[in-house]
Structures are given as C-alpha cells and as structure tokens.
Amino acid sequence: MENQTEAGGFWACSRCTYHNRHGKTKCDMCECIRPDAKLRPLAREDATNESVLLNPEQSQKEGNQEFPITIDCDFLPRGGGISKLTNGIAKGVKGKIWSCRVCTLENPISNLFCGACNEGRPSKEKKPARPPPPKSKSETDKQFELTRKLQRQTSNKVETIREDDETKALKEWKNIVSICTEANVPFVDDSFLPNEKSLGRKSTKVKQWRRPHDIKSDAGSGVPWVVFRDPRPTDIAQGVLGNCWLLSALAVLSERPELLERVMITREVCREGAYQVRLCRSGKWEVVLVDDLLPCDAKGNLVYSQASRNQLWVPLIEKAVAKLYGSYEALVAGRAIEGLELMTGCPCESIMLKIRPGEAVDEPVDADLVWATLLSAKDAGFIMGASCGGDIDDEELFDSYKAVGLQAQHAYSVLDVRAVGQNRLVRLRNPWGRCSWTGAWSDHSDEWTPELRTTLMAHGAEEGVFWISLEHMMEYFDCVDVCKVRPSWSEVRLDGKFSCGQGELGTISILHVFQPTDVDVCLFQESNRGFSDESASLMDIMVGVYETAEGASQPRPRSHVANSPRKIRQSVGCNVFLEPGAYMLVPSAFSHWHTVQSKVAPPPYTLTVHSSQPVFIEHSPAPLHTQADALFLLCRKLGKRHEGISEVTCYYISKGMSGLIIAAENRRKDMFLQLDCNCVDSFNVVSSRGTLESHDVIRPYHRQIVILLTQLEANEGYSVSHKLRFRITNDKGTATEPARPPITTELKGLHEVLPL
C-alpha cells in the first residue's frame, strides 16, 4: 500500500511529492493518479478555498488504518495558510504538538520525525532509533541535504502571482488611504520626498512640486485628470530627462494597453494622491508606492515625461522607477530591453542586427536567422522594439539618419513582420508620431502595387508608421528587443549567491521536469543603475543547464544541455525544451574573483524560470567542483579542439563568452601531460589565475580548467589570444611538479586537476 499523506486538505503525490489540493484526482505537477479514495482522511473545502479539518478522531483514523497528519512547509499554497493549517492540527490533537528545532514546523505528537525536514522529535526519553548514516557521509553532506529540503519551490502561473501581489498591495493601499482620509490630508511619501535629493542633482528647470489638479497642461483645465484614457504610444512626451530607454519601452508596451495597465495597480485617480506601481527590478517583483507630487517648472508645467490628454500613467510610472533607483537623475541613459524587463518581468532577448562596437566578432550576423527569429516572435505574439543608431555619436552620422527620415539613438515599436514574394518587410512605428522612413517601401515609394497597398496598408498611411525592408533595417538599426509575454506560463524566482573564489562556492538549483516543457532560464545580477562607485560595476554572468541524477545527495552536472552567453550585462538567459528528468542550473561569474568585492561578500543573483508546464526546483549550496565540472562539459560540447597528441585534447571556447575558456583532458593510461598556456597578447581581460601565463601537469585519466579570461571593461573593446605547448611524459616525478601560478585553496573549485 502506498503511503499517502494528507494535511489540511492537501495530499502528497507518491511520485513527485508535490502537495495537491484535496479535490484533485491527479497530481498538478506530474499527473500521477491519486491513490484509492478510501485511503483519504476526510476534509472539506470551505468557500474561501482554505482547508478545514473535520472531526480529529475521524480524520486520524478510517477503517482502523492510522494516517499521521503532516505538513510539508515547502508546498504550502502561495499566500500563506501555514498558521491556519498548524492551528487546525493543534486543535485536532488537543494541544499535543511539538515544534521542530530546525524548521519550527509544529507537528502532531504522534509524528516521530518532522514532516518538513525529517528532524527527530525532541524527547526526554531516548530518541527512537533510525538507520545510521553511511560512514562516508560527512557533516557537510548532512547539512547540504537538509538545506535542500528547506529550499524548495514550485512554479506558479504568472497571472496568479500578479493577482496575489495586487490583492496584498491593495490592502496596504486601502489602509494608507483610510489614514489620509481620517486626517483629511493628502499622502506624502516620506521615503521619496519632493526635494533635491529625489531629483538626484540640482535642476534649473524644477522649481516646485505640484499635484495633478494644480498642473498646467495643453489639454486645459476642462479635461479631468485620469490614470488611463485609452492609452496610445503617441501619448508619450519626453521631458528634459534623458530616459528614452524607459519611454521607448512604455511606447512598445502601450501597443498592448492591457499589458500596460497591469503595471499600474492603482488604475483610477486617487483623491488622497497614493498610487502603487508593480515593477520587476533585477528579476524580483516589487510594489512601489508613490505620491502624485510631480516636478514642475515655475509656471506649473511638468518638467519630466508626461502623457497627452491629462493622463497620469507616464509621470507616475516614471516617478516609481525613479524611486526604485534612488532619483530621477539615475534614469539617464539605458537600453529599451531594460525597461521591458522592468515592467513585464518576462524573459527578454535581443536579436542583433549588426556587431556592436567593442564586441568580439565571432561571425557575421546571419540575415536568414534574424528573419526566422522575427517571424517566430511575431507568430508567438511577443512584443518587440527596434533600436535605431544607438551607438553613434558622430554628427555626420546623425545627419545621414535624418536624411532618410529616421531618428538616431531612438527606439521604434515593431508592429508586423511580413514576407511579400522575395521581399522581407517589417512594419515600424515611431512612438513620437512623426518622422517616417523615406527609402524603399516607404509610404510613397514605387515598390508598392495597388494590391499590396490594399493588403499591407489597409487603413492608409499613418504618421510615424512605415514599412522597411529587412536589408535596410539591418543597415540602420542595431537590434530588435523581444519581450516574451506569455500570461498562461508559470514562473518561479530564486535568490542565490555567486561563487567568489574565496571559499564561497555559491548556490545552484536542481530543476525537476515531469512532462515535456519549454523553459526560459534567466539570470539577473543586481542593477548598478544609480550607483557610480566601482564596486557596483556589472560582472560577467552566465547560466548553464545540465542533466543530473535524480535524488543525488551531492549532485553533479552529467551532460551539457544549454547555456546563455557569458556577458557583462544585468541579465542573460537561454531557452531550451526539456524532457522529463532532473537538470542542474549553474549560475556563474568570474570577473570579481580577484577584487575587494569578493572578499567582502559573495555577490547575490536572482534566477528566474518561466515554463510552459509547472516545474519544481530545489535550491542549495554548490558542491565543491560544480563550476569546474560545468565548464568542462561546456568546453567539450561547444569548444574548438587542439588534438596534436593521441588521447590528449585541449578545448577552447570564446564565442559568446566575453573572454576565453581553456580546458584540457589527458586520456592516456600512464602518461603525464605537461601544458604551458600563454595569453599575454590578449587585451582588456582579467585572468582567473591572476596571470596570463600558466604551467600545469595533468595526471593520467584527469582533466583541468586551465585558464579563464574575462572582458574587463564592458564599454571598451577586448581581444583574446592563446598559445599552447603540451607534451606527454611517463616520468612519475613530473606528478610532483608544482603548477605555476600555484592553484590556491580559493581556486581549487575551478582549477584543480580532477579525474575524468
């Protein structure tokens, strides 16, 4: 008979251990059929969907079969309920409960071990005997297993999470409004006061802060202020602040007003002046509370961004983002993809149309691949924005863009992607509603036939909206930012720490997939927006997906599945289709290893997983050689090879790596491999070994990550170069030859010579 545990109206799946609600007949996670109903303790669902225990005697026994009631705190429904459930148990056993000293879960006195972490019940009597752990299992292993049990999460529907966040936020908002109403005073946000500090620097334009009813606007005093009035991209007007990245993202989002409105939790004008905005900073959702005191000039006009027709959504979202990053001044300069991530929390990626200045050229941009990706994104219903001339700073180049009706250092919304015969066309909108492309396929060009004009411009030409060929788009535009909006998908977000080479091994995650699933994995580091000191500079980050064994106490990556690029950016990600099984997610960063920052504390990260089917994740400390194992599998799968000697291979990989990784393996039975690596001709890089030259000895049937180079300055060009000399010898004295530079204790997790 299968052991079926039920607690507070939940039943635990015997296959994946996920706790399902009482009324479910199949597991929501793996679709395993629930055991015979006769084995279920009796419970009912009340009107609020909370579980309520019935007669404790009846729920504990049925058919003379004992069923200990336990709760796994890892699987409690979002929004809590643990206190209600534990209180129900406490009443059910008439106060006979014990509190776990490890995880604090309250268990029935009949339970010998904690239902969440398996810790033994404290007792004055001798504890019941249980099988002793294997002698080979260290205290570290025990702690590792315990930590894994206590850090488990299941994914939840994106829309469910948003609705829960809004429900919680609205309770807080109503409390604030109630207090202001009783005191008969408008709300003033004391954490972001209307002063010079909130501006970021002294502004010659901002002379006062006014509430909407006191602000002058082109719409006139007869048009009432509202949060939304049928929002359109052309509503947005940029002020004196150089935050085009944010406004461009808002313009792209306003192509789908229902998505834009989800950013604002407070969607109606609040008489007390309190508003809530939901934003996703560095991969984590935050509800930002702001007042409606807005920066104005001496005449009472808005100084920063605004929306026409007396709408508040633009200045309120702008103020919330300013508060999030410390000041309005912190919003100057950025990329539209950052704004899309910030306001949607969805996975975003850039389709590169040309090589950016300073980036290593691995291979030219493939126009066919760009086109296929654009078509795929359009068919999936994703929102897209195109960056035009973002990296130019030459006045003559600006003029060349103006000559064809384009605005450099500007972002356009992508409205449509069509193939017309042999022509590949993209429809774009200038969100400012003026200036349109004047080249081939523009509104008045000769390429149009009456039939095509009827098909592709059914509503006639619009100011600021135009078609352009892919060829010309790749000439003038830098990239297309794609935001993967999928409300029906599930998501989970985890906080972790990077390895820092100072004895801190960082954290990894084990992803359990129960049915074929499309997955987007994204890794975020803390944003440096609003900070000017070097300690806040961005690191090179990467996340890899590897197959691993189910249920291993010390999991190891077994084979490479997918990886993101390694980039000096706030976020990176990869998309992969996964079959059922267990997968290790390995975040990494290396440019900080030899800095003061790594000695103070390991840098934090946020890992997000979006999936088409529900998934289950365990988050835990990384075993010692996780980084070395993962990078070696990556090099062996994707790296180029040096194979001058039989059964000896050196791998190197630089494409998409913001640097270089070199690994070597010695498959000889009784020969030692001596390896000299010289990277002194590299430029603007930092080495994980602390030097650009190294000498190592690799024993028979062993392998090693030899050296890892990382781009140092993200805004400058870099180059990598390496020369390898290797030979084999059967001189056993070679085994004692020291590595140069020495592999210190801090570097063993990455550079130690390991068995194959």
Side-chain angles (χ1 to χ4, degrees):
M1 180 183 296
E2 294 185 356
N3 181 20
Q4 181 67 29
T5 303
E6 295 207 14
F10 293 90
W11 60 274
C13 175
S14 59
R15 177 183 175 192
C16 67
T17 74
Y18 180 68
H19 277 207
N20 299 272
R21 286 198 176 275
H22 176 75
K24 297 285 184 178
T25 58
K26 290 196 303 185
C27 177
D28 283 337
M29 186 64 64
C30 68
E31 298 189 345
C32 180
I33 301 298
R34 179 176 180 167
D36 193 287
K38 292 182 179 180
L39 300 181
R40 288 180 268 154
L42 297 179
R44 65 175 173 84
E45 300 286 327
D46 67 7
T48 61
N49 209 26
E50 292 286 350
S51 299
V52 182
L53 289 174
L54 295 179
N55 188 309
E57 300 294 332
Q58 188 178 12
S59 63
Q60 287 284 345
K61 293 184 179 182
E62 186 172 337
N64 297 321
Q65 175 66 46
E66 293 288 339
F67 289 95
I69 296 179
T70 61
I71 297 177
D72 188 337
C73 61
D74 302 317
F75 296 94
L76 286 174
R78 183 176 173 83
I82 187 167
S83 60
K84 294 180 181 179
L85 291 172
T86 51
N87 287 341
I89 289 178
K91 294 175 182 177
V93 295
K94 299 179 180 179
K96 295 182 179 180
I97 59 174
W98 60 274
S99 226
C100 177
R101 61 185 179 184
V102 174
C103 68
T104 72
L105 179 69
E106 293 182 337
N107 298 271
I109 198 67
S110 60
N111 281 18
L112 301 180
F113 302 104
C114 177
C117 67
N118 209 32
E119 177 67 16
R121 181 186 70 192
S123 174
K124 296 180 181 180
E125 302 175 2
K126 186 177 180 180
K127 286 186 179 181
R130 52 176 162 174
K135 293 183 179 180
S136 60
K137 186 174 288 188
S138 64
E139 289 300 320
T140 303
D141 293 338
K142 295 177 185 177
Q143 186 61 37
F144 182 90
E145 291 181 10
L146 178 58
T147 306
R148 279 181 61 188
K149 288 179 180 178
L150 294 178
Q151 297 187 6
R152 297 172 173 173
Q153 289 193 42
T154 55
S155 59
N156 290 279
K157 292 289 186 181
V158 171
E159 278 300 284
T160 300
I161 294 173
R162 183 185 67 82
E163 290 168 1
D164 287 352
D165 287 347
E166 282 200 12
T167 300
K168 181 180 177 182
L170 284 172
K171 290 180 180 179
E172 298 174 355
W173 176 82
K174 288 179 180 178
N175 184 47
I176 292 170
V177 169
S178 175
I179 293 172
C180 292
T181 302
E182 289 179 7
N184 196 27
V185 293
F187 172 66
V188 177
D189 181 10
D190 59 4
S191 61
F192 196 69
L193 291 168
N195 57 24
E196 191 172 299
K197 181 180 178 182
S198 296
L199 297 177
R201 65 177 180 179
K202 189 172 183 178
S203 173
T204 57
K205 295 283 187 180
V206 178
K207 300 298 183 181
Q208 56 185 318
W209 297 68
R210 287 191 175 188
R211 297 189 185 270
H213 59 272
D214 293 324
I215 294 174
K216 293 183 179 180
S217 73
D218 294 337
S221 57
V223 179
W225 285 90
V226 294
V227 177
F228 293 108
R229 182 178 278 120
D230 183 26
R232 300 190 292 261
T234 52
D235 288 336
I236 304 170
Q238 186 173 358
V240 300
L241 204 59
N243 61 345
C244 180
W245 64 274
L246 177 62
L247 301 182
S248 296
L250 277 174
V252 172
L253 206 60
S254 60
E255 297 288 351
R256 302 259 293 274
E258 74 278 7
L259 299 179
L260 176 66
E261 292 176 9
R262 291 172 187 169
V263 180
M264 292 291 305
I265 296 178
T266 313
R267 302 183 182 99
E268 302 291 338
V269 169
C270 175
R271 188 176 66 86
E272 290 74 19
Y275 295 84
Q276 290 177 319
V277 183
R278 185 172 181 257
L279 300 170
C280 189
R281 176 174 59 169
S282 301
K284 291 182 284 191
W285 283 114
E286 299 183 41
V287 174
V288 184
L289 175 69
V290 293
D291 58 37
D292 60 359
L293 284 162
L294 302 172
C296 296
D297 59 20
K299 295 181 179 180
N301 299 303
L302 287 171
V303 171
Y304 297 143
S305 304
Q306 54 191 286
S308 61
R309 299 179 290 142
N310 282 8
Q311 297 178 86
L312 288 171
W313 58 277
V314 172
L316 287 178
I317 292 175
E318 181 184 55
K319 183 169 186 177
V321 178
K323 178 181 177 179
L324 199 63
Y325 292 112
S327 69
Y328 279 94
E329 182 65 23
L331 305 188
V332 175
R335 296 178 57 210
I337 192 171
E338 181 185 353
L340 292 174
E341 288 177 337
L342 179 69
M343 288 181 285
T344 67
C346 298
C348 297
E349 65 178 4
S350 292
I351 305 172
M352 304 310 300
L353 304 181
K354 60 176 64 174
I355 303 298
R356 288 179 177 273
E359 286 195 355
V361 181
D362 299 311
E363 56 188 37
V365 175
D366 185 340
D368 291 337
L369 181 59
V370 168
W371 181 247
T373 309
L374 287 173
L375 284 175
S376 177
K378 174 219 170 183
D379 291 342
F382 299 153
I383 56 176
M384 295 181 278
S387 173
C388 181
D391 296 311
I392 68 171
D393 53 10
D394 186 277
E395 192 64 33
E396 291 185 4
L397 289 176
F398 271 98
D399 292 338
S400 69
Y401 277 73
K402 288 180 182 178
V404 293
L406 297 176
Q407 291 179 271
Q409 296 186 349
H410 190 47
Y412 291 70
S413 303
V414 178
L415 304 181
D416 201 357
V417 182
R418 294 283 189 95
V420 180
Q422 298 299 315
N423 299 293
R424 299 168 170 177
L425 303 180
V426 181
R427 197 178 198 193
L428 302 177
R429 184 204 300 274
N430 182 343
W432 302 163
R434 59 186 182 275
C435 297
S436 294
W437 165 249
T438 59
W441 295 100
S442 61
D443 291 350
H444 304 291
S445 68
D446 297 333
E447 283 80 8
W448 291 104
T449 64
E451 294 78 12
L452 283 178
R453 190 176 292 276
T454 301
T455 302
L456 299 184
M457 290 198 294
H459 304 291
E462 298 178 58
E463 183 64 26
V465 178
F466 57 88
W467 289 92
I468 186 172
S469 69
L470 178 66
E471 179 184 2
H472 283 115
M473 187 177 180
M474 294 180 69
E475 180 181 351
Y476 290 98
F477 287 76
D478 310 317
C479 66
V480 175
D481 296 323
V482 180
C483 181
K484 301 179 180 180
V485 178
R486 294 167 294 207
S488 63
W489 277 37
S490 298
E491 70 172 42
V492 61
R493 299 173 185 270
L494 301 161
D495 293 329
K497 295 180 180 179
F498 286 109
S499 170
C500 65
Q502 298 291 329
E504 173 58 57
L505 301 175
T507 49
I508 52 95
S509 299
I510 305 298
L511 174 67
H512 297 272
V513 176
F514 302 102
Q515 48 192 313
T517 305
D518 194 7
V519 174
D520 269 296
V521 180
C522 299
L523 176 66
F524 294 81
Q525 59 181 313
E526 287 191 335
S527 173
N528 63 348
R529 182 172 292 279
F531 294 89
S532 58
D533 59 311
E534 294 183 358
S535 64
S537 59
L538 295 178
M539 303 174 292
D540 63 308
I541 59 174
M542 178 174 69
V543 60
V545 182
Y546 302 86
E547 285 187 357
T548 190
E550 287 273 13
S553 62
Q554 287 282 297
R556 293 183 63 183
R558 297 196 305 188
S559 63
H560 172 272
V561 177
N563 65 278
S564 72
R566 184 163 70 105
K567 297 288 185 181
I568 303 179
R569 290 183 184 168
Q570 186 185 342
S571 66
V572 294
C574 63
N575 173 261
V576 61
F577 190 83
L578 299 178
E579 295 294 337
Y583 300 87
M584 180 181 288
L585 309 181
V586 183
S588 61
F590 301 100
S591 59
H592 64 289
W593 276 38
H594 296 287
T595 65
V596 175
Q597 178 185 359
S598 68
K599 297 178 181 179
V600 175
Y605 68 74
T606 298
L607 185 70
T608 69
V609 178
H610 289 76
S611 57
S612 58
Q613 301 293 336
V615 294
F616 168 55
I617 290 186
E618 296 176 281
H619 198 52
S620 59
L624 176 60
H625 296 112
T626 300
Q627 294 291 343
D629 292 340
L631 290 181
F632 184 79
L633 291 170
L634 171 68
C635 289
R636 192 161 63 181
K637 178 77 172 288
L638 303 178
K640 297 180 180 179
R641 303 184 176 206
H642 295 295
E643 293 183 310
I645 301 175
S646 174
E647 297 182 305
V648 169
T649 307
C650 293
Y651 306 91
Y652 67 98
I653 182 170
S654 59
K655 181 180 178 181
M657 286 290 119
S658 285
L660 174 71
I661 306 171
I662 297 178
E665 65 176 338
N666 178 13
R667 301 184 301 277
R668 303 295 290 255
K669 295 180 180 179
D670 53 3
M671 304 290 282
F672 295 87
L673 172 64
Q674 292 180 311
L675 181 64
D676 291 287
C677 179
N678 185 329
C679 301
V680 294
D681 291 332
S682 300
F683 167 72
N684 188 31
V685 294
V686 60
S687 168
S688 59
R689 298 284 291 268
T691 177
L692 295 176
E693 293 183 276
S694 64
H695 171 82
D696 297 281
V697 175
I698 302 178
R699 298 186 292 278
Y701 282 123
H702 280 67
R703 42 89 175 180
Q704 180 187 17
I705 300 297
V706 178
I707 198 167
L708 188 146
L709 305 182
T710 302
Q711 180 182 0
L712 189 57
E713 296 292 337
N715 297 325
E716 296 183 11
Y718 75 96
S719 64
V720 292
S721 171
H722 72 279
K723 298 175 183 177
L724 294 178
R725 290 193 311 158
F726 48 100
R727 67 186 184 90
I728 56 174
T729 176
N730 58 6
D731 181 5
K732 294 185 178 180
T734 305
T736 61
E737 189 176 321
R740 299 191 303 270
I743 298 173
T744 61
T745 302
E746 291 80 6
L747 296 180
K748 279 188 175 182
L750 179 60
H751 290 300
E752 188 173 15
V753 177
L754 301 171
L756 287 172

